[in-house]
Amino acid sequence: MEPTSPKRRALEVRGCSALHNGVPDNVGSGGEFQVSGRGLPVADINAWSRIAASASYAPVDRFILFELLVSEACHSAELYGPDV
């Protein structure tokens, strides 16, 4: 992430992270997904280089890398239609 990112500051101060995403569809049955855990800074330049090389975009040198250690993941969704 960018060094000026508010998320970076939150990870450095609190160390925790959460992501929630609603996945609605046209009939309201898309569900939701949430993941939470700890974010730890990665200072190892070799790890940064390996991750940058495998990214689907070209990260710039100023980007800050955090390892996200997932402690909880949950979802809600209608897996089958009402007739099943």
Side-chain angles (χ1 to χ4, degrees):
M1 69 183 66
E2 287 282 352
T4 57
S5 168
K7 189 65 166 181
R8 174 196 177 193
R9 180 78 177 130
L11 285 168
E12 290 175 342
V13 171
R14 293 189 295 276
C16 58
S17 180
L19 172 68
H20 174 264
N21 187 31
V23 190
D25 61 17
N26 291 338
V27 294
S29 63
E32 298 177 66
F33 181 77
Q34 178 178 315
V35 62
S36 59
R38 305 231 357 116
L40 304 175
V42 175
D44 182 347
I45 190 66
N46 292 323
W48 195 100
S49 296
R50 285 191 312 274
I51 292 165
S54 67
S56 61
Y57 60 94
V60 293
D61 292 341
R62 70 176 181 273
F63 283 4
I64 307 296
L65 178 65
F66 283 87
E67 178 180 12
L68 299 176
L69 305 173
V70 175
S71 60
E72 180 180 40
C74 56
H75 72 89
S76 66
E78 184 176 320
L79 300 177
Y80 304 102
D83 297 332
V84 176

